[in-house]
Amino acid sequence: MTETRPSRLSAEVDFERDGKQTGFIRLFHSVHSSAYGFIPIPIVVIRNGEGPTALLTAGNHGDEYEGQIAIGNLVRSLEPAQIHGRVILLPMANFPAALAGRRTSPIDDLNLNRAFPGNPDGSVTQQIAYYISTALIPLADIVFDVHSGGSSLLYLPSVSMKASPDKAFEQRALAALQSLGAPLAYLPRGGQGTGADDTLGGEAVRQGIPALGSELGGAGTVTPAGLRIAERALRNLLVHMGILPETARIAADGPMRVTYVGGADYFVYASENGVWEPCVELGDMVRKGQLAARIHTPETPWAAPAEVHFARDGMVLVKRVPGRTLRGDCLFHLSTDALG
Ligand code: CA
């Protein structure tokens, strides 16, 4: 970041002090119902001497809950004497969105994970992004932003990482990813062609810090399996970083399957408005040209449903949840065991 303008937010915790400190980041927001008030974004810092720093975040999307629970469990169970270095825990990064159980903030309708690096004088979500970019990420040696599919998507529980053209940097991130003990990983390669990476992880990579992520389920709810993967991943990352001792590692159930998500041909979008009928299940291996979904128009039941097809071979990694769909909605995307 070349930006030097100060953030308007301030933390009640001192990141340089040893011990476990809990408190709030204060985002002053003077509104009709609360003149002079602040939005209290919970934050915890656990520090024991010099050493590496892990920044663990969740609630970036407020309708994704595994990370909010797992980071809370870690806040209550992790003690300074157990660690070497520092853990910064931010379980409800977009606090207004998390409190509302929504992907986007009810205050400004913004998606925090499309707001980085943020703006110190912008709207509430832009101010949060700027604070994370300028006050938290620079303290970190690794960032893990815990996600799931949210209200509209359901993923096979998986972990991921941000790509980088710097191969040595990417190897460091991959080693951290491999340490998490998750059953499935996917590496983004190509994306959706939306330009600059304005996510939290993208900002970390711009600052030279490896950024891990996850998609632990979704559908606006929590599963025991997704939560278990989150808990294990957070602990194992701290072991990998040398913050927790090797004895704290939680064994994986098996090897991690590493897959790739490439460009536009990995994605299937609704071609019409209507009620969509998925023709495959999560985890299915599909072939190019295979029927992915039918989109029905029950208001004209005599009209044939539209059909959409997969544009390539792959494994179904994610599906849309709501039954109604609009043209342009993502219905599925695939991952593959190898690129090509
Ligand atoms: Ca998400």
Side-chain angles (χ1 to χ4, degrees), residues 253-306:
D253 299 326
M256 176 186 281
R257 180 178 179 183
V258 178
T259 66
Y260 301 87
V261 177
D265 62 345
Y266 282 68
F267 292 78
V268 174
Y269 297 98
S271 59
E272 307 293 335
N273 301 346
V275 174
W276 82 288
E277 171 197 350
C279 298
V280 296
E281 298 284 359
L282 282 180
D284 282 358
M285 300 301 296
V286 301
R287 304 306 301 264
K288 179 178 181 176
Q290 184 174 333
L291 182 64
R294 297 185 186 90
I295 301 171
H296 299 262
T297 51
E299 62 272 40
T300 51
W302 46 87

Side-chain angles (χ1 to χ4, degrees), residues 59-71:
N60 179 337
H61 290 143
D63 59 345
E64 304 174 6
Y65 304 105
E66 294 85 352
Q68 298 185 46
I69 295 172
I71 289 179

Side-chain angles (χ1 to χ4, degrees), residues 60-61 63-64 103 111 113-114 145-150 153 155 214-215:
N60 179 337
H61 290 143
D63 59 345
E64 304 174 6
R103 181 174 183 83
N111 175 349
N113 218 30
R114 299 292 183 276
D145 190 26
V146 184
H147 282 252
S148 74
L153 295 175
Y155 272 87
S214 65
E215 297 292 356

Side-chain angles (χ1 to χ4, degrees), residues 42-44 46 53-59 67-68 70-72 74-75 78 86-93 136 140 142-146 180 200 212 230-231 233-238 241 243-244:
I43 186 160
V44 176
I46 304 172
T53 294
L55 172 60
L56 310 177
T57 59
Q68 298 185 46
I71 289 179
L74 198 54
V75 162
L78 197 63
R86 182 168 55 181
V87 187
I88 299 171
L89 305 110
L90 186 71
M92 295 174 88
L136 299 184
I142 191 125
V143 173
F144 185 9
D145 190 26
V146 184
L180 300 182
L200 192 160
L212 306 184
E231 307 256 23
L234 290 168
R235 290 227 168 235
N236 286 357
L237 180 63
L238 298 183
M241 295 302 291
I243 295 172
L244 274 174

